Amino acid sequence: MAVPVAGEEPDVVTARRQPGPGRPRDPSLEANVLAAALVEYGHTGLAGFTMDGVARRAKVGKSSLYLRWPSKERLLVDAIEAQTLPLAVPDTGSVAGDMLALAVRLFEHFLDPLGWITLRIAVDIALNTRELDRFHERVTVMHGETARAMLQRAVDRGELAPDAPFGPIIETLFGSVLIHVLAMAPADREPARAHATDHVGPLVDFVLERARVSGA
Amino acid sequence: MAVPVAGEEPDVVTARRQPGPGRPRDPSLEANVLAAALVEYGHTGLAGFTMDGVARRAKVGKSSLYLRWPSKERLLVDAIEAQTLPLAVPDTGSVAGDMLALAVRLFEHFLDPLGWITLRIAVDIALNTRELDRFHERVTVMHGETARAMLQRAVDRGELAPDAPFGPIIETLFGSVLIHVLAMAPADREPARAHATDHVGPLVDFVLERARVSGA
Amino acid sequence: MAVPVAGEEPDVVTARRQPGPGRPRDPSLEANVLAAALVEYGHTGLAGFTMDGVARRAKVGKSSLYLRWPSKERLLVDAIEAQTLPLAVPDTGSVAGDMLALAVRLFEHFLDPLGWITLRIAVDIALNTRELDRFHERVTVMHGETARAMLQRAVDRGELAPDAPFGPIIETLFGSVLIHVLAMAPADREPARAHATDHVGPLVDFVLERARVSGA
Amino acid sequence: MAVPVAGEEPDVVTARRQPGPGRPRDPSLEANVLAAALVEYGHTGLAGFTMDGVARRAKVGKSSLYLRWPSKERLLVDAIEAQTLPLAVPDTGSVAGDMLALAVRLFEHFLDPLGWITLRIAVDIALNTRELDRFHERVTVMHGETARAMLQRAVDRGELAPDAPFGPIIETLFGSVLIHVLAMAPADREPARAHATDHVGPLVDFVLERARVSGA
DNA sequence: ACATAAGCGAGACGGTACGTCGCGTCTTTAA
DNA sequence: TTAAAGACGCGACGTACCGTCTCGCTTATGT
């Protein structure tokens, strides 16, 4: 999916097997390239994202790029993963608070071009089966863990029944936020950042089965 | 969003102003090209979808393509829209039945590559503000009408409170189905078609339960 | 071999089959490119002769280059052939005069970098059997005709016996001039242009003397 | 020129200054590399002759290559020189015999790809003044000595006048053989090896001013 | 014995050209 | 005027090789 992800594991790109002989790979090069890739993406958009451009900007030979990433799609995936911060899941003390915080964070994520491209990549991956499953798994794991932990806290607090349907709760929460952004007119997207709560609040309320504060 | 769309309006592509003098446009050419575009998409995937390929397959000059569609993205949009059937919204006599039917139809839509590409295009549109709003509007309209009509029927039947939050209901229903597919492992997608109800049933139940409570 | 060549036949590069439909090839482009190729060669030498460079200089897409020439070697061959003037074979009224004129012309040809590269290409062709025979044939033809005509005039004038060994005469004449240049120290080459007769005179005398005797 | 050369001087490649401290160079490495270079050249031809390929085949690091040869051209020159045998100049007892033997040897040399590449290099050298003069000098020396010795023997025997024009004799002999090969159709080259005398005999006869045995 | 100095295999590095391909435009002939 | 064909300028693709630059190791000399 298209969700901010931790990236805690080093994600060794296409690391060499052994530390064996030969000149070792420049460890700073990878970060350098990923940064350049993001800048490049920011400047020229997705269509204009080229390996030549990244190499030029990072002052790096194309060979070094292809030594690590087999295609420009893979480079882009890594560049985005590298900078994507984990979804902050603060313990606000209540499900309502937790979910609202999560939803707001998610909403902002999708309003950000860089967050949005993550979704796009996820969509592409779903399209080409032959592509990267790693990305997909990580998302699924987060999907199954990060949010699930939040719900478990709620159960522990007694706010939620132990047999509450975690799956549907998570999917409706994430999905509704996603589709809400997707359905927004492009021009309305940027200004909406300031009123995130107004947009996602009703969705959280609905999912939490609370008295409707404001109908959508 | 990425929802099957009617395409009832002729969608004049880039129709000529006047019937004036000169050779008239071949009326069959458009349908011919759209069909070829779909076949081409099916064969080579999204990455391999090229204007040259479509022209070759349709035995048509590229000029004729660019005379009607300003870019290959636009051609692809039209090709997909042309074959996308409207979301069937049968009146099953109950909200539960209506929503389940809708969800199943949606689920199948997203499992189909052709349906999925619609989503992808929607995502792209959200990315480039300067791109096609027509597509977006149409989706929004459908979003506001097709599903809303279903809910109105439920209200009329007394199944739903008149002030039920239509927005969240629709967004959670659509969004959860979408994200459910998105989170599926690529390999699981195809076999899932046979058990659509198993996948979307819980989501519908969940949404419907909230909908009933919210409107109280 | 590496001899100035007429190039009278149009040498259609890789001409299209039919004048049928479709945009015709720009007729000026070819000459434009050939000129640019020669300039490029002059500036950067053989090693630095690149397709990218030629395209850049000619303000032409690489596709147009590869539409006409299958490789950079072939382009270079054509560029050189296009500017190579035919070996002037003036009728001076005597074999001695004819042969001296021819030898001087040949000497100058080999002293010129552009003439020399022709030899290099010929050598390359002899190296790769799979390469262009057209070049080779043309040289052979010239070898068999241009010089042979000169000798025939001598026979007609009674200066040479009818059964004079045309082959050896031509081969020794051409070969000795070639190897004479080849054996010169690089630094001596340029200044030698002014004293062409001093260099080739003895060779012509020698060959001519044998030619007269052989035919006896 | 492009003539088989002795290579008697060790041709120190780029020998180290002092025997001082440090690991001494592997003495077997050089011969090993030269052999691999020749094999590589034989397999892939001139265009496919690469430093990486030589290093791979010789199981040697590229650094060792560049420690000895400053460029791949220089390596190729040395590889070829190392295996090129000196022009055998047997004393057959007569100029005619000597010259025929020499011409046959020369003919075979030019028919061999390895011999031909020597010519090619000579041509390249004549093209770049800044390149290797050593090669050129060696050729010139051989040109001035090896063949000249043969002619001197003829003078001593009384077969040749003391004031015979050595220069033209040598240049016409060498040159005519060279150009004869150059003018041959590529396909005819290999089969010609078996009939060397038929090809070069007339040339020798002509140069020696003998009664023509067979017109070319 | 142990530092110093080079050679060596391996392979990463910044460049740059290769030949291919797709874009969207332009230019011709035929209908 | 449109249609089919296809040439055009442009520029990215991914590969390959250049010659240089580390690495960690090995193999000598000189103290």
Side-chain angles (χ1 to χ4, degrees), chain B residues 137-209:
Chain B
E137 283 169 29
R138 181 175 298 192
V139 160
T140 303
V141 166
M142 170 262 126
H143 197 271
E145 299 307 322
T146 307
R148 210 167 290 265
M150 181 193 72
L151 293 180
Q152 191 55 52
R153 282 204 306 272
V155 171
D156 295 345
R157 285 193 206 102
E159 293 182 293
L160 232 49
D163 60 349
F166 279 20
I169 293 174
I170 295 171
E171 290 184 340
T172 49
L173 181 64
F174 278 68
S176 61
V177 173
L178 164 55
I179 219 160
H180 185 83
V181 175
L182 200 52
M184 286 173 66
D188 300 340
R189 292 167 60 92
E190 194 48 40
R193 308 188 75 117
H195 315 94
T197 308
D198 296 347
H199 279 92
V200 299
L203 298 174
V204 171
D205 291 347
F206 180 79
V207 170
L208 198 50
E209 193 183 326

Side-chain angles (χ1 to χ4, degrees), chain A residues 141-184:
Chain A
V141 165
M142 167 267 126
H143 200 272
E145 298 308 320
T146 307
R148 210 167 290 265
M150 183 192 70
L151 294 179
Q152 191 56 51
R153 281 204 305 271
V155 172
D156 295 344
R157 285 193 206 102
E159 293 182 293
L160 227 51
D163 62 346
F166 279 21
I169 293 175
I170 296 172
E171 290 184 339
T172 48
L173 181 65
F174 277 69
S176 61
V177 173
L178 165 56
I179 220 159
H180 185 83
V181 176
L182 199 52
M184 285 173 65

